[in-house]
Amino acid sequence: MRFFSDNAAAVHPALFKAMAEADRLDTAYDSDAWSQRLDRAFSDLFEREVTALWVTTGTAANCLALAGMVHPYGGILCHREAHIQVDEAGAPEFFTGGAKLLLVDGPGAKLTVDAVEDARSRIRADVHQVQADALSITNATEYGLVYSAAETAALGAWAKDHGLGFHLDGARFANAVVSTGASPAALTWKAGVDALSFGFVKNGGLSAEALILFDPALADGIRRRRKRSGHLLSKGRYLAAQLLAMIEGDLWLSNARSANEAARRLAEAAGARLVHPVEANEVFLKVTAEEAAALRAEGFDFYDWGVGEARLVTSWDQDMQAVDRLAEAIRRL
Amino acid sequence: MRFFSDNAAAVHPALFKAMAEADRLDTAYDSDAWSQRLDRAFSDLFEREVTALWVTTGTAANCLALAGMVHPYGGILCHREAHIQVDEAGAPEFFTGGAKLLLVDGPGAKLTVDAVEDARSRIRADVHQVQADALSITNATEYGLVYSAAETAALGAWAKDHGLGFHLDGARFANAVVSTGASPAALTWKAGVDALSFGFVKNGGLSAEALILFDPALADGIRRRRKRSGHLLSKGRYLAAQLLAMIEGDLWLSNARSANEAARRLAEAAGARLVHPVEANEVFLKVTAEEAAALRAEGFDFYDWGVGEARLVTSWDQDMQAVDRLAEAIRRL
Amino acid sequence: MRFFSDNAAAVHPALFKAMAEADRLDTAYDSDAWSQRLDRAFSDLFEREVTALWVTTGTAANCLALAGMVHPYGGILCHREAHIQVDEAGAPEFFTGGAKLLLVDGPGAKLTVDAVEDARSRIRADVHQVQADALSITNATEYGLVYSAAETAALGAWAKDHGLGFHLDGARFANAVVSTGASPAALTWKAGVDALSFGFVKNGGLSAEALILFDPALADGIRRRRKRSGHLLSKGRYLAAQLLAMIEGDLWLSNARSANEAARRLAEAAGARLVHPVEANEVFLKVTAEEAAALRAEGFDFYDWGVGEARLVTSWDQDMQAVDRLAEAIRRL
Amino acid sequence: MRFFSDNAAAVHPALFKAMAEADRLDTAYDSDAWSQRLDRAFSDLFEREVTALWVTTGTAANCLALAGMVHPYGGILCHREAHIQVDEAGAPEFFTGGAKLLLVDGPGAKLTVDAVEDARSRIRADVHQVQADALSITNATEYGLVYSAAETAALGAWAKDHGLGFHLDGARFANAVVSTGASPAALTWKAGVDALSFGFVKNGGLSAEALILFDPALADGIRRRRKRSGHLLSKGRYLAAQLLAMIEGDLWLSNARSANEAARRLAEAAGARLVHPVEANEVFLKVTAEEAAALRAEGFDFYDWGVGEARLVTSWDQDMQAVDRLAEAIRRL
């Protein structure tokens, strides 16, 4: 019974079905019929014209977006524990030509206007210091907290006031939409977001994420950077088909709903053991080494998180009986 | 009846079957069971220990390999019409940190020792000029010529003599193996090749190419560069499964055999119209605009190639009746 | 009697005098009194508002300018024998983040509208090929030819028509101004030039070149890139003083006049031996190995230029008696 | 009476004299007679064979050294307030191709083995996190503390144990040598340092710093990077002459001795107001805004350092009467 990563779950069958339907000769790269439908489909979802590009990883989506927003000599304000800082192997520096990540603190890997303003205000404007060109947040955060539409909009307004681009790492955007009840539009462009890395792979996808550009000026450069970074697959229709299968019929929402519900049940059981509020599909627990061992002895698989904590991540296809058994086991600890 | 690109063909059903078998929870990135089998499977194929990494595009394979071989201040000797120079949007410069492509001429996009030696000898060794760090060739070439094992070995020996890395862009390596009758080993490491971009997508694949490293010193850095360039997919097992399906049972060879045979039939029909000898799955024809229009009027789809030439590319799934009809139509011109 | 490089000549005494006057405490970098006078002084020279930055090398001036004009995924049209392509060790690729030099042919390293248009028109607009973002020319060229104001303006108009930045490498700009009789304005911004690398070191300078920006939008980014590339010296006043000494009192013009006159005398003597017309301070001669040896035996020092040619470069401080002796010796050959 | 920066002081007259002696035609770049003497002169100073390269800024020296030590996908352990992190505008990222600065804490911008080990041990070895390739320290630190030979050697041993390169930013190396009484050798290669940015400009220099390579394997690549970054001046002999004038006759030591003595007098006067021990030529004082204003009213010029602190920097040419007057004024506060 595995609770260690939504990255490792199986693929939703609808995606295989969609790929099978795309399995015939068409033109290559992204001029095929499926890729050509993406802008329309995502524009409908976001209630405005957007450019939607498939890419194969969240890292690529994040870093292509950031490369379109910052100068090589610029900086990106982000949380000290943001995925782009901690777990992307220097990809932001690679794609941007060496821009600097300017680190900001905050509980649960979540940023506030006060925190980013404090960080920005300590940068001298002279040529000796790297200036912030963009702000990047993650929703849901690396610790499973969500930004509401209002919180996002406050950051977006602040970014615009200071002439910064605004990027949203939405590796778990679906979980945030479900959790907040806000519309995709309200959590993005209506809140000032210029580009969204819209994650599907953690949510039942196979190999397609979407990069959504709300700022039309970004599109041409990012298309070229996508090719230049080796991310323009020749048989792109199989990626487009995955994305279409996800958003047509709201599969992305029902998948996220399942994962969030599983996490909610675990959170309820965890009570005072919770390290962070559980607002998406991640549960951080205080457990002793003995307690963790006890849970593992019952067949539950998860990661330790530093000393004295454990991370449980739920997936779209989590067996709810196993979830309830784990909840029970946590209660028993 | 389409003859315009092997990039656009359908995917071989065996790959979907293999992906379906991989469709269950496993660990992420490349520590899953399928990815872990790659080194073994490709080592068997190449008759020596190799490191085999999945990537999603030939551009990524080429440029990761080159980045592992050259200094940012170094250069790559390649043909003036090499894919890395002409059709990868500056990806080699991006991945290497700005290395320079040092262009060499030769008929059919094919290099000889004389040609590369001539190019290299014109570079002054001082710090004002970019020094060659690597040699990159394409087999089969962009014009469908092949390098024999002996031709490759001559270039490999020359590269070693001059301290250069040796990269082989094998987007159509399968076609070259079938055409030459040489073993994969003979066309690569036995001939001095350090890294091979082993193409599958043009040969019935979906989204997985293999980067084969014969020089063990390259592996750690290239693994890190793969992640840093956003090319480490979290559900890598679906890529690994594609590659395994291709090489186990020699599907890659039977697919290439079909494509080469189709091209052979067209070449036979074309006779004196051929611009280059047909040694793989590409046929370049001299045709007037009227003749090209006549072929298209009969339902044949292909690219013009400059003025007065046409390019026909055959695929693993080419309908042989359509091929014969096109051959007939060419004869009738 | 040395004729091998204007790079190696002594420094004009006025520059030492100017540095001695700047030799007192002031603020660092470029906020000192001397650096603050540069914009005014060069604006007067160019008859419009410009931003003038000191840098220590022509390579830095060229590449900072280009980095301000091109995307990392873009290209720079330039002559196949341009200094930025041949003798800057990949610096343009370094400063631009990997932009590609798109090479154009033409006699004497000189470009024409036809030649650049031909090169540009062969680039497909799709994302697979690198698009030209800038045009760079050298005046006087690497072979000592000059562009007239009209020739420059034709290229400038073409560049604007195609949305390209226009950079002028003026390592020997002074020689071109003297040779053409055109004003600095006519050879630059009036002809569409956006940025000029204004060379002084080959013309009696010590360690200061000027980067002149006619496009105000370039200034902020290039100032930041100058610092980021380690080119913002803390005691900038000594560089500014050199530049001011050069342009106040027209020392740059009188120095270039001497060098051009020396070259003219050699050209007159050379007659039919000239490989290129002599329009600045470089003379390329056809000479056999025996003839070159004979000249050297008389004490003349110069470079061979490939087989059967010699390059003579004259400097601001060339001893005219030595020049006349060399002219005489050439006539005697 | 200025105490705001050693960067802004005048140049020692011996350097102008040395440049005047170098003011005749020689070969360009660094093949002239003066540049050719550098390796010998610095090898004598450091009691072993070294490669010594002139560059014009400390930023260039630091970043060329680091680029020679780290992979683009690697990291550099340094203090959170190191000059390379805070005041070089992203130059380390530019020169290294995007390596990450891995920040370590410690009082007075000084690192200890415990602190660097703690930082390093928190990096997972997997491909998702940037691995440390080098350690960089500053001696004297940005707050005027010095590393003894033993402290440096402890860090050097640790770096070697972990396979890291070891870089020393010696913008104020002279002050550290004077302060510790240790030999240049003891503070560098005997302590495991691979490359030293040896500062002269803050110590009475004009435009020449020295990059000293103790690891011979670094030399070729760094020479090429120097050219590629636009830092190979054509009239290098004037830079070499400055360096030779500095080290021949120990001018660098006597200059640093003066600056340190001036700082010592101020420190003595400051007593309990000192924020950090004064071990080189920088004095950080606790002062109220009123006190700072009072000092300025007496004609003393210096920088505020955040709220409630002031930074005084002494130079080689500080008027000792002014120093004593400032000391007196501080006592009176």
Side-chain angles (χ1 to χ4, degrees), chain B residues 135-172:
Chain B
L135 169 66
S136 177
I137 66 169
T138 311
N139 195 14
T141 75
E142 287 73 10
Y143 289 102
L145 303 188
V146 300
Y147 290 87
S148 68
E151 287 169 331
T152 309
L155 287 161
W158 178 87
K160 290 298 159 290
D161 280 355
H162 293 87
L164 308 186
F166 189 16
H167 166 250
L168 175 53
D169 178 351
R172 295 187 180 95

Short mmCIF file of all heavy atoms in Angstrom, two decimals, chain B residues 135-172:
data_model
loop_
_atom_site.label_atom_id
_atom_site.label_comp_id
_atom_site.label_asym_id
_atom_site.label_seq_id
_atom_site.Cartn_x
_atom_site.Cartn_y
_atom_site.Cartn_z
N LEU B 135 33.99 15.30 -32.71
CA LEU B 135 33.55 15.07 -34.09
C LEU B 135 32.16 14.43 -34.00
O LEU B 135 31.95 13.51 -33.19
CB LEU B 135 34.52 14.11 -34.78
CG LEU B 135 34.10 13.54 -36.13
CD1 LEU B 135 34.00 14.64 -37.19
CD2 LEU B 135 35.09 12.46 -36.58
N SER B 136 31.24 14.92 -34.81
CA SER B 136 29.90 14.33 -34.83
C SER B 136 29.53 13.96 -36.26
O SER B 136 29.64 14.79 -37.16
CB SER B 136 28.88 15.33 -34.26
OG SER B 136 27.57 14.79 -34.34
N ILE B 137 29.12 12.73 -36.46
CA ILE B 137 28.63 12.31 -37.78
C ILE B 137 27.22 11.74 -37.63
O ILE B 137 26.77 11.45 -36.51
CB ILE B 137 29.55 11.26 -38.45
CG1 ILE B 137 29.55 9.94 -37.66
CG2 ILE B 137 30.95 11.79 -38.63
CD1 ILE B 137 30.22 8.78 -38.40
N THR B 138 26.54 11.59 -38.75
CA THR B 138 25.18 11.07 -38.77
C THR B 138 25.14 9.84 -39.66
O THR B 138 25.59 9.89 -40.80
CB THR B 138 24.22 12.14 -39.33
OG1 THR B 138 24.46 13.37 -38.67
CG2 THR B 138 22.77 11.73 -39.14
N ASN B 139 24.63 8.73 -39.11
CA ASN B 139 24.57 7.49 -39.88
C ASN B 139 23.20 6.84 -39.65
O ASN B 139 22.89 6.45 -38.52
CB ASN B 139 25.69 6.53 -39.45
CG ASN B 139 25.90 5.42 -40.46
OD1 ASN B 139 25.41 5.49 -41.58
ND2 ASN B 139 26.64 4.38 -40.06
N ALA B 140 22.38 6.74 -40.70
CA ALA B 140 22.54 7.24 -42.04
C ALA B 140 22.51 8.76 -42.05
O ALA B 140 21.89 9.37 -41.18
CB ALA B 140 21.39 6.69 -42.90
N THR B 141 23.14 9.36 -43.08
CA THR B 141 23.22 10.82 -43.15
C THR B 141 21.86 11.43 -43.49
O THR B 141 20.91 10.74 -43.84
CB THR B 141 24.22 11.30 -44.22
OG1 THR B 141 23.64 11.13 -45.52
CG2 THR B 141 25.53 10.55 -44.15
N GLU B 142 21.85 12.75 -43.41
CA GLU B 142 20.64 13.50 -43.72
C GLU B 142 20.20 13.29 -45.17
O GLU B 142 19.07 13.61 -45.53
CB GLU B 142 20.88 14.99 -43.46
CG GLU B 142 20.95 15.35 -41.98
CD GLU B 142 22.23 14.91 -41.26
OE1 GLU B 142 23.18 14.49 -41.95
OE2 GLU B 142 22.27 14.98 -40.02
N TYR B 143 21.07 12.75 -46.02
CA TYR B 143 20.69 12.45 -47.40
C TYR B 143 20.62 10.96 -47.66
O TYR B 143 20.63 10.52 -48.79
CB TYR B 143 21.66 13.14 -48.38
CG TYR B 143 21.46 14.63 -48.37
CD1 TYR B 143 22.32 15.48 -47.70
CD2 TYR B 143 20.35 15.18 -49.02
CE1 TYR B 143 22.11 16.85 -47.68
CE2 TYR B 143 20.13 16.55 -49.01
CZ TYR B 143 21.00 17.37 -48.33
OH TYR B 143 20.78 18.73 -48.30
N GLY B 144 20.57 10.20 -46.57
CA GLY B 144 20.33 8.78 -46.74
C GLY B 144 21.53 7.96 -47.16
O GLY B 144 21.39 6.81 -47.60
N LEU B 145 22.74 8.51 -47.01
CA LEU B 145 23.94 7.71 -47.25
C LEU B 145 24.33 7.03 -45.94
O LEU B 145 24.01 7.52 -44.86
CB LEU B 145 25.09 8.59 -47.73
CG LEU B 145 24.84 9.42 -48.98
CD1 LEU B 145 26.14 10.08 -49.45
CD2 LEU B 145 24.27 8.56 -50.10
N VAL B 146 25.07 5.93 -46.06
CA VAL B 146 25.53 5.28 -44.84
C VAL B 146 27.05 5.29 -44.77
O VAL B 146 27.74 5.35 -45.78
CB VAL B 146 25.01 3.82 -44.71
CG1 VAL B 146 23.48 3.81 -44.69
CG2 VAL B 146 25.55 2.95 -45.82
N TYR B 147 27.55 5.27 -43.55
CA TYR B 147 28.95 5.03 -43.28
C TYR B 147 29.12 3.54 -43.03
O TYR B 147 28.41 2.97 -42.17
CB TYR B 147 29.40 5.77 -42.03
CG TYR B 147 29.48 7.27 -42.12
CD1 TYR B 147 28.35 8.05 -41.85
CD2 TYR B 147 30.67 7.91 -42.43
CE1 TYR B 147 28.41 9.44 -41.91
CE2 TYR B 147 30.75 9.30 -42.48
CZ TYR B 147 29.61 10.05 -42.22
OH TYR B 147 29.67 11.43 -42.26
N SER B 148 30.05 2.93 -43.70
CA SER B 148 30.39 1.54 -43.39
C SER B 148 31.15 1.50 -42.07
O SER B 148 31.60 2.53 -41.56
CB SER B 148 31.28 0.96 -44.49
OG SER B 148 32.55 1.60 -44.45
N ALA B 149 31.30 0.30 -41.53
CA ALA B 149 32.10 0.15 -40.32
C ALA B 149 33.52 0.67 -40.55
O ALA B 149 34.10 1.34 -39.68
CB ALA B 149 32.12 -1.31 -39.89
N ALA B 150 34.08 0.40 -41.70
CA ALA B 150 35.45 0.83 -41.98
C ALA B 150 35.54 2.35 -42.07
O ALA B 150 36.48 2.97 -41.57
CB ALA B 150 35.95 0.20 -43.28
N GLU B 151 34.57 2.96 -42.73
CA GLU B 151 34.57 4.43 -42.83
C GLU B 151 34.43 5.06 -41.44
O GLU B 151 35.08 6.05 -41.12
CB GLU B 151 33.43 4.89 -43.73
CG GLU B 151 33.67 4.60 -45.20
CD GLU B 151 32.42 4.82 -46.07
OE1 GLU B 151 31.28 4.65 -45.56
OE2 GLU B 151 32.60 5.14 -47.26
N THR B 152 33.56 4.48 -40.65
CA THR B 152 33.39 5.01 -39.30
C THR B 152 34.68 4.84 -38.50
O THR B 152 35.12 5.77 -37.79
CB THR B 152 32.23 4.27 -38.58
OG1 THR B 152 31.07 4.30 -39.42
CG2 THR B 152 31.90 4.94 -37.26
N ALA B 153 35.29 3.68 -38.62
CA ALA B 153 36.51 3.41 -37.86
C ALA B 153 37.65 4.34 -38.27
O ALA B 153 38.46 4.74 -37.44
CB ALA B 153 36.92 1.95 -38.04
N ALA B 154 37.70 4.69 -39.54
CA ALA B 154 38.74 5.61 -39.99
C ALA B 154 38.54 6.97 -39.31
O ALA B 154 39.49 7.60 -38.82
CB ALA B 154 38.71 5.76 -41.51
N LEU B 155 37.31 7.44 -39.26
CA LEU B 155 37.03 8.70 -38.59
C LEU B 155 37.28 8.59 -37.09
O LEU B 155 37.80 9.51 -36.45
CB LEU B 155 35.58 9.14 -38.86
CG LEU B 155 35.34 9.64 -40.28
CD1 LEU B 155 33.85 9.61 -40.63
CD2 LEU B 155 35.91 11.05 -40.47
N GLY B 156 36.92 7.46 -36.53
CA GLY B 156 37.14 7.25 -35.10
C GLY B 156 38.61 7.27 -34.74
O GLY B 156 39.02 7.87 -33.73
N ALA B 157 39.41 6.64 -35.58
CA ALA B 157 40.85 6.62 -35.31
C ALA B 157 41.42 8.02 -35.41
O ALA B 157 42.24 8.45 -34.58
CB ALA B 157 41.55 5.68 -36.31
N TRP B 158 40.96 8.75 -36.40
CA TRP B 158 41.41 10.13 -36.56
C TRP B 158 41.01 10.97 -35.34
O TRP B 158 41.80 11.76 -34.82
CB TRP B 158 40.82 10.71 -37.85
CG TRP B 158 41.20 12.14 -38.07
CD1 TRP B 158 42.32 12.60 -38.68
CD2 TRP B 158 40.46 13.29 -37.63
NE1 TRP B 158 42.33 13.98 -38.66
CE2 TRP B 158 41.20 14.42 -38.02
CE3 TRP B 158 39.26 13.48 -36.95
CZ2 TRP B 158 40.77 15.72 -37.76
CZ3 TRP B 158 38.82 14.77 -36.68
CH2 TRP B 158 39.57 15.87 -37.09
N ALA B 159 39.79 10.79 -34.90
CA ALA B 159 39.32 11.56 -33.73
C ALA B 159 40.18 11.25 -32.51
O ALA B 159 40.62 12.16 -31.79
CB ALA B 159 37.85 11.25 -33.44
N LYS B 160 40.44 9.98 -32.27
CA LYS B 160 41.27 9.62 -31.12
C LYS B 160 42.67 10.21 -31.25
O LYS B 160 43.23 10.72 -30.28
CB LYS B 160 41.37 8.08 -30.98
CG LYS B 160 40.09 7.40 -30.52
CD LYS B 160 39.62 7.85 -29.14
CE LYS B 160 38.12 7.57 -28.91
NZ LYS B 160 37.19 8.41 -29.69
N ASP B 161 43.22 10.15 -32.45
CA ASP B 161 44.56 10.73 -32.67
C ASP B 161 44.63 12.19 -32.27
O ASP B 161 45.68 12.69 -31.88
CB ASP B 161 44.94 10.64 -34.15
CG ASP B 161 45.43 9.27 -34.52
OD1 ASP B 161 45.58 8.41 -33.63
OD2 ASP B 161 45.67 9.03 -35.74
N HIS B 162 43.52 12.88 -32.43
CA HIS B 162 43.52 14.31 -32.14
C HIS B 162 42.84 14.64 -30.83
O HIS B 162 42.52 15.80 -30.56
CB HIS B 162 42.87 15.08 -33.31
CG HIS B 162 43.69 15.00 -34.56
ND1 HIS B 162 43.55 13.97 -35.46
CD2 HIS B 162 44.70 15.77 -35.02
CE1 HIS B 162 44.41 14.14 -36.44
NE2 HIS B 162 45.13 15.22 -36.19
N GLY B 163 42.59 13.61 -30.04
CA GLY B 163 42.02 13.85 -28.71
C GLY B 163 40.58 14.32 -28.73
O GLY B 163 40.12 14.99 -27.80
N LEU B 164 39.84 14.00 -29.77
CA LEU B 164 38.45 14.44 -29.88
C LEU B 164 37.48 13.35 -29.45
O LEU B 164 37.71 12.16 -29.68
CB LEU B 164 38.12 14.80 -31.34
CG LEU B 164 39.03 15.77 -32.06
CD1 LEU B 164 38.44 16.09 -33.44
CD2 LEU B 164 39.21 17.04 -31.27
N GLY B 165 36.39 13.75 -28.84
CA GLY B 165 35.28 12.84 -28.63
C GLY B 165 34.61 12.53 -29.97
O GLY B 165 34.75 13.28 -30.94
N PHE B 166 33.91 11.42 -30.02
CA PHE B 166 33.30 11.00 -31.29
C PHE B 166 31.84 10.64 -31.02
O PHE B 166 31.54 9.70 -30.28
CB PHE B 166 34.07 9.80 -31.84
CG PHE B 166 33.70 9.37 -33.25
CD1 PHE B 166 32.99 10.20 -34.11
CD2 PHE B 166 34.09 8.11 -33.72
CE1 PHE B 166 32.68 9.78 -35.40
CE2 PHE B 166 33.78 7.69 -35.01
CZ PHE B 166 33.07 8.54 -35.85
N HIS B 167 30.98 11.43 -31.61
CA HIS B 167 29.53 11.26 -31.42
C HIS B 167 28.88 10.81 -32.72
O HIS B 167 29.20 11.32 -33.79
CB HIS B 167 28.90 12.59 -30.98
CG HIS B 167 27.40 12.58 -31.07
ND1 HIS B 167 26.71 13.33 -32.01
CD2 HIS B 167 26.47 11.90 -30.37
CE1 HIS B 167 25.41 13.12 -31.86
NE2 HIS B 167 25.23 12.27 -30.89
N LEU B 168 27.95 9.88 -32.59
CA LEU B 168 27.21 9.40 -33.75
C LEU B 168 25.74 9.71 -33.57
O LEU B 168 25.10 9.21 -32.63
CB LEU B 168 27.42 7.89 -33.90
CG LEU B 168 26.63 7.18 -34.99
CD1 LEU B 168 26.80 7.83 -36.36
CD2 LEU B 168 27.05 5.70 -35.07
N ASP B 169 25.22 10.55 -34.45
CA ASP B 169 23.78 10.82 -34.49
C ASP B 169 23.14 9.69 -35.27
O ASP B 169 23.28 9.60 -36.49
CB ASP B 169 23.53 12.17 -35.16
CG ASP B 169 22.03 12.49 -35.28
OD1 ASP B 169 21.20 11.60 -35.00
OD2 ASP B 169 21.71 13.63 -35.65
N GLY B 170 22.47 8.81 -34.56
CA GLY B 170 21.86 7.64 -35.19
C GLY B 170 20.34 7.74 -35.22
O GLY B 170 19.65 6.76 -34.90
N ALA B 171 19.85 8.89 -35.63
CA ALA B 171 18.39 9.03 -35.78
C ALA B 171 17.86 7.92 -36.68
O ALA B 171 16.75 7.43 -36.50
CB ALA B 171 18.06 10.40 -36.36
N ARG B 172 18.69 7.53 -37.65
CA ARG B 172 18.33 6.41 -38.53
C ARG B 172 19.42 5.33 -38.48
O ARG B 172 19.82 4.78 -39.49
CB ARG B 172 18.12 6.92 -39.97
CG ARG B 172 16.93 7.87 -40.10
CD ARG B 172 16.62 8.23 -41.54
NE ARG B 172 15.49 9.14 -41.63
CZ ARG B 172 15.60 10.48 -41.71
NH1 ARG B 172 16.79 11.06 -41.73
NH2 ARG B 172 14.50 11.21 -41.79
#
